[in-house]
Amino acid sequence: MTREKTGRIIGATFGLAFMQVNAATLPTAAAIPVRVLALIAFLAVFRGVRRLPAPPPAETAPAETAPAETRRHFGRRYGYVVGAEVLAAVAGILVINHLLHAPHAMVAWIAFVVGVHFFGLAAVWRTPSLNLLAAAMSACGAVGLVMAALGSSRAAIASVAGILPGALLLGSVWWSLRASAAPAPTATGSAS
């Protein structure tokens, strides 16, 4: 599996996890449809990823001989972004649980940190389209934090900062698959 496919599967898996875990806060009548729809969306995305055309031979070359543009996805800079994400998530969770005693705000913090990490990935991978996902997920997390501070219910916070970001992740991967499947534009016009 290529790095691009792997990245999409990782994104879709986290989208599914966000939705499945946070649906537990909803009443059963709402939780079941959310979980079923999330699973259907994940399976559709997974199938779409598996159907992507095979990469050119250069992308399947060993990492040390592959061109720089194919090595960039999971290299040192990617590791720095993910490492910073993990440190920020853990530090925030410790503060939220032990200093603020507000475990209901954890999902919002995680959504915020995951959203911000996509800004880093957009820069590292030179993929500006990730900035839109980063902004949307960060906003969901920030709104969830405000909701937690204002005493909103767990279900409301989980919907805004958990279920919606999960749907954004799944939707983002689906959208990237559509873009990959679109035929490349051809040049029209006459040669001089």
Side-chain angles (χ1 to χ4, degrees), residues 80-107:
Y80 293 153
V81 171
V82 172
E85 173 192 25
V86 170
L87 287 174
V90 170
I93 288 169
L94 291 173
V95 168
I96 287 168
N97 280 329
H98 300 294
L99 296 178
L100 301 176
H101 306 287
H104 57 285
M106 267 195 321
V107 67

Side-chain angles (χ1 to χ4, degrees), residues 14 79-91 109-110 113-115 117-118 121:
F14 275 103
Y80 293 153
V81 171
V82 172
E85 173 192 25
V86 170
L87 287 174
V90 170
W109 176 250
I110 291 168
V113 171
V114 171
H117 119 284
F118 278 111
L121 291 182

Side-chain angles (χ1 to χ4, degrees), residues 14-24 34-35 37-38 162-163 166-167 170:
F14 275 103
L16 176 64
F18 262 92
M19 294 182 78
Q20 294 294 331
V21 167
N22 289 289
V34 166
R35 286 183 161 157
L37 289 172
I163 294 169
L170 284 165

